[in-house]
Amino acid sequence: MTTTAAWTERYTGALMNTFGPPKLVLVRGEGARVWDADGREYLDLLGGIAVNALGHGHPRLVAAVTEQLQTLGHISNFFASEPQVELAERLVALLGTEAHVFFTNSGAEANEAAFKLTRRTGRTRIVVTEGGFHGRTMGALALTSKLAYREPFEPLPGDVVFVPYGDLAALEAAVDDTTAAVLVEPVQGEAGVVVPPADYLPGAQRIAHEHGALLWLDEIQTGVGRTGTWFAHQNPALVSDRVVPDIVTLAKGLAGGIPIGACIATGGSGKLFDPGNHGTTFGGNPVAAAAALAVLDVVAEGLLDHATRIGARLKAGLAADPRVAEVRGEGLLIGLDLTEARSAEVAAAAQDAGFIVNAPTPERIRLAPPLVLTDEDVDAFLAAWPAILDTAGVTEGATA
Ligand SMILES: *Cc1c(COP(=O)(O)O)cnc(C)c1O
């Protein structure tokens, strides 16, 4: 039995079967590369699902976490810590408008915090989009449209209305003076990187505000430089006009792999919670906050432009194969549609060839690699890409 097979067997014996069998057993990472239990090397083009912004084992992240843990590791929210306050200030500054922050440990928890915050408006209705993904806890799941995720757990918290994504007329029809918030992702990540028209977010903002509702952007996947700007709603390639959301939720890339989430609310929305309304034991933990500060520092040193440039190269290279029907996304959040519904086969063939990619739907491949991906990494993947499609049996046939 290989080492991988042995660990997989132990995994199956000890862990709940929520994720299906693991695709690999990984033991080590460095930069954009990881190694499995049998010593095979992979280029990680998924980055822990848009999490490992600095790649694996980045010395600045390791140093920040080590130093903070040696100084002060955890204190509870009865007390404040320096990294927590500094991180909140930094995020507000990046947002560019007055705001207040609540820290969590995950994306779902950031959305739970925001969901509760919207209830403090005195209204309950949330308008959300079909194909959106907001997390697996009961509240976040109530805001997530996919039936397979929802149905086994109904009844879910109510007063949630779904509208088609990217459709301002549908939003206009659904939002009224009872709406507490409109919740959208600037780009739908889990759906396979679906990009709305550039006037969608500005339009959603106008519609929400006409009815006194909050505009809540889930930037859990798109935030912290992923699309080449600090927030996707600030990306001129994605939005046609200035957008100032009332709520922004963050998580994934924020601390480069250390668990963290943030619910940020601007203006008066940032003051809707009173003491006792919400809480968390670990949220704002000094080690997680120090990790996030290190990520923000390193990303600020040129990784935004790097992600934009290298993402454009990757997109152009992938689109050159006629078996790719469409490529979408900005920076290093990239989705593509195959001419045939063989994405699982493509992901498997890519893995056999030493590349980790993700197949979020039967037709789509998603890439969310570390922002430190190099030109050489891109060259290596693009060189292997046609053969990966060959192995997966994708033809130029009719569009799936
Ligand atoms: C991943 C994700 C979440 C959920 O985050 P978790 O940390 O898995 O709870 C929510 N919204 C979006 C857009 C995401 O991509």
Side-chain angles (χ1 to χ4, degrees):
M1 197 167 4
T2 64
T3 312
T4 293
W7 277 106
T8 302
E9 196 173 299
R10 286 173 63 181
Y11 176 100
T12 308
L15 284 107
M16 289 193 194
N17 186 21
T18 47
F19 303 104
K23 296 194 189 322
L24 290 169
V25 178
L26 297 174
V27 295
R28 189 166 73 82
E30 192 184 324
R33 292 179 191 267
V34 289
W35 285 264
D36 74 12
D38 296 321
R40 287 203 61 201
E41 180 181 321
Y42 302 86
L43 180 61
D44 181 6
L45 293 163
L46 185 57
I49 317 184
V51 166
N52 297 306
L54 307 187
H56 301 270
H58 193 286
R60 297 268 293 277
L61 183 57
V62 172
V65 166
T66 306
E67 206 170 294
Q68 186 58 48
L69 191 55
Q70 286 169 340
T71 308
L72 183 68
H74 177 80
I75 53 171
S76 92
N77 281 305
F78 290 124
F79 311 105
S81 73
E82 293 164 355
Q84 167 199 44
V85 176
E86 250 181 68
L87 179 59
E89 289 174 351
R90 288 277 289 278
L91 291 174
V92 170
L94 293 175
L95 211 47
T97 188
E98 195 249 320
H100 290 82
V101 182
F102 180 87
F103 286 117
T104 68
N105 314 289
S106 69
E109 277 178 89
N111 282 340
E112 292 291 336
F115 197 177
K116 284 180 70 177
L117 191 75
T118 66
R119 290 281 171 107
R120 298 287 296 156
T121 61
R123 301 181 184 183
T124 55
R125 180 155 304 161
I126 311 285
V127 177
V128 299
T129 63
E130 290 165 8
F133 180 81
H134 302 292
R136 302 298 202 120
T137 54
M138 292 300 250
L141 191 56
L143 304 166
T144 294
S145 74
K146 193 167 171 175
L147 278 182
Y149 293 171
R150 299 169 57 85
E151 269 180 343
F153 303 101
E154 288 175 341
L156 295 165
D159 215 358
V160 178
V161 176
F162 292 93
V163 294
Y165 186 62
D167 181 344
L168 283 175
L171 208 52
E172 190 102 54
V175 177
D176 63 21
D177 292 351
T178 70
T179 305
V182 173
L183 165 58
V184 294
E185 292 161 83
V187 172
Q188 286 186 334
E190 297 302 302
V193 190
V194 179
V195 179
D199 66 349
Y200 186 56
L201 291 191
Q205 170 171 263
R206 176 185 54 76
I207 293 164
H209 289 175
E210 273 170 10
H211 293 281
L214 305 178
L215 178 67
W216 165 9
L217 300 183
D218 181 340
E219 292 237 27
I220 286 166
Q221 187 154 162
T222 57
V224 202
R226 177 54 48 193
T227 74
T229 51
W230 285 110
F231 301 98
H233 75 264
Q234 297 171 337
N235 192 331
L238 292 169
V239 295
S240 60
D241 208 347
R242 185 170 141 86
V243 176
V244 182
D246 300 289
I247 302 174
V248 177
T249 43
L250 297 176
K252 290 198 163 81
L254 180 52
I258 301 294
I260 193 170
C263 167
I264 312 175
T266 63
S269 304
K271 298 173 184 157
L272 285 170
F273 277 147
D274 291 323
N277 279 165
H278 199 46
T280 162
T281 298
F282 289 117
N285 172 281
V287 176
L293 286 167
V295 169
L296 296 182
D297 283 343
V298 176
V299 171
E301 291 166 14
L303 283 183
L304 296 175
D305 288 344
H306 178 78
T308 303
R309 183 182 66 77
I310 213 152
R313 268 199 69 211
L314 194 47
K315 277 202 302 185
L318 292 166
D321 194 294
R323 292 165 291 183
V324 172
E326 188 182 42
V327 183
R328 297 173 302 272
E330 286 300 324
L332 285 171
L333 184 59
I334 296 172
L336 60 87
D337 284 6
L338 302 164
T339 48
E340 290 183 300
R342 298 186 70 79
S343 70
E345 291 85 346
V346 169
Q351 185 175 301
D352 286 344
F355 301 93
I356 296 176
V357 306
N358 169 244
T361 78
E363 298 83 19
R364 291 180 174 159
I365 293 291
R366 171 177 52 171
L367 306 177
L371 304 183
V372 296
L373 196 75
T374 65
D375 281 301
E376 294 71 38
D377 294 332
V378 171
D379 291 341
F381 182 55
L382 292 179
W385 180 234
I388 290 169
L389 296 179
D390 288 345
T391 307
V394 183
T395 69
E396 286 180 49
T399 304

